[in-house]
């Protein structure tokens, strides 16, 4: 259980032992949990100063039942052993800063760069905890903001197109002539194109189903 991702219940089946009893025995006797120096505060925070590196990431995540945790990781470990620097229950900046400042100041000042999202809370944590570090915005959050902005513009233009189409239909009805919508080169009306483009806007050029003109 120390080296493989296997539960006590699963392991108990192999040896004919009740899973719950094995778990209790493992925690109390087989593992070093009872003598672990972080056991007292493990539910609120964990800190691994030896995993600190020059390039870090900080983010918030929900681990169970919607509870948020702030996690600091060493990018050099690439998500493997030694990646976790700290995990703190909640996202309140002062609480996280208090935990991170348990790391020696000289070690925290060696951090050169921290990747984070665009939340002011995270920026405050980084500036206070790693005063020499450069703040780098996570590209995924930047892309998300850009996507939301483009979609907002698309929706505005679509409503404008719907309004214009309704006016044209009313006018055609008033003068008792059939309404013929203007079609674009691909056969769509402007309203239809703006509706379909919701998923087309962020496709790569090679993924678009466009037939070039001969």
């Amino acid at each position: 259980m120390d080296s493989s991702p296997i539960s006590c219940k699963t392991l108990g089946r192999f040896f004919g032992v009740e899973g719950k009893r094995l778990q209790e025995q493992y925690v109390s006797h087989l593992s070093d949990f009872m003598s672990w120096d972080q056991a007292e505060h493990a539910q609120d925070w964990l800190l691994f100063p030896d995993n600190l590196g020059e390039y870090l990431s900080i983010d918030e995540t929900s681990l169970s039942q919607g509870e948020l945790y702030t996690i600091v990781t060493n990018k050099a470990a690439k998500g493997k052993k030694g990646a976790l620097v700290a995990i703190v229950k909640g996202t309140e900046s002062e609480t996280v800063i208090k935990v991170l400042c348990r790391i020696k100041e000289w070690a925290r000042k060696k951090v050169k760069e921290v990747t984070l999202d665009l939340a002011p809370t995270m920026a405050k944590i980084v500036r206070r905890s790693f005063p020499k570090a450069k703040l780098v915005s996570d590209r995924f959050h930047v892309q998300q903001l850009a996507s939301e902005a483009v979609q907002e513009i698309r929706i505005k233009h679509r409503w404008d197109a719907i309004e214009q189409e309704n006016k044209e239909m009313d006018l055609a009805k008033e003068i008792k002539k059939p309404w013929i919508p203007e079609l674009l080169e691909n056969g769509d009306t402007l309203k239809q194109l703006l509706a379909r483009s919701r998923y087309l806007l962020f496709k790569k050029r090679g993924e678009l189903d466009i037939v070039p003109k001969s």
Side-chain angles (χ1 to χ4, degrees):
M1 284 187 292
D2 289 335
S3 59
S4 303
I6 185 170
S7 67
C8 292
K9 185 177 180 180
T10 301
L11 190 61
R13 288 184 186 145
F14 292 128
F15 297 98
V17 180
E18 184 184 357
K20 186 175 181 182
R21 176 65 61 84
L22 178 59
Q23 183 178 10
E24 293 173 350
Q25 292 296 319
Y26 178 78
V27 171
S28 302
H29 304 289
L30 301 177
S31 72
D32 59 355
F33 179 76
M34 302 306 291
S35 59
W36 187 29
D37 59 356
Q38 299 203 60
E40 184 178 349
H41 54 75
Q43 289 187 337
D44 297 318
W45 58 272
L46 293 172
L47 188 63
F48 304 97
D50 292 342
N51 293 341
L52 193 68
E54 294 182 343
Y55 298 89
L56 307 177
S57 292
I58 184 170
D59 203 356
E60 62 181 47
T61 187
S62 178
L63 298 182
S64 63
Q65 300 179 349
E67 294 180 337
L68 288 176
Y69 290 80
T70 300
I71 298 180
V72 180
T73 54
N74 184 343
K75 298 177 76 171
K78 301 184 182 299
K80 299 179 181 178
K81 185 177 180 181
L84 185 61
V85 176
I87 178 169
V88 183
K89 187 175 182 180
T91 58
E92 205 278 322
S93 58
E94 293 300 330
T95 300
V96 179
I97 291 168
K98 186 176 180 180
V99 172
L100 292 175
C101 283
R102 289 174 175 268
I103 301 174
K104 300 294 185 182
E105 184 179 3
W106 62 266
R108 289 187 285 112
K109 285 185 175 181
K110 284 189 174 183
V111 177
K112 295 180 178 179
E113 181 180 292
V114 181
T115 302
L116 66 163
D117 62 22
L118 304 177
T121 302
M122 293 297 173
K124 180 180 179 181
I125 292 171
V126 173
R127 289 193 180 98
R128 292 269 299 277
S129 304
F130 309 107
K132 301 292 185 180
K134 180 172 65 174
L135 280 65
V136 177
S137 296
D138 183 350
R139 67 184 179 91
F140 295 107
H141 290 88
V142 175
Q143 288 173 343
Q144 183 180 17
L145 283 179
S147 173
E148 290 172 353
V150 171
Q151 293 297 356
E152 185 177 339
I153 295 172
R154 180 192 65 82
I155 291 171
K156 180 183 181 302
H157 284 307
R158 182 166 182 262
W159 279 111
D160 290 342
I162 291 173
E163 184 178 354
Q164 180 62 31
E165 188 174 287
N166 289 337
K167 287 180 179 179
E168 292 175 2
M169 292 174 67
D170 290 340
L171 178 61
K173 185 177 181 180
E174 184 179 333
I175 62 177
K176 297 181 180 180
K177 286 188 176 182
W179 176 71
I180 302 175
E182 181 182 354
L183 299 180
L184 303 174
E185 290 184 19
N186 67 343
D188 284 342
T189 65
L190 181 58
K191 182 182 73 173
Q192 291 170 336
L193 179 63
L194 288 168
R196 277 197 324 115
S197 63
R198 175 180 181 183
Y199 301 105
L200 297 177
L201 285 170
F202 298 99
K203 282 190 174 183
K204 295 179 181 178
R205 186 175 182 86
E207 297 173 343
L208 295 174
D209 299 326
I210 297 176
V211 179
K213 293 182 179 180
S214 56

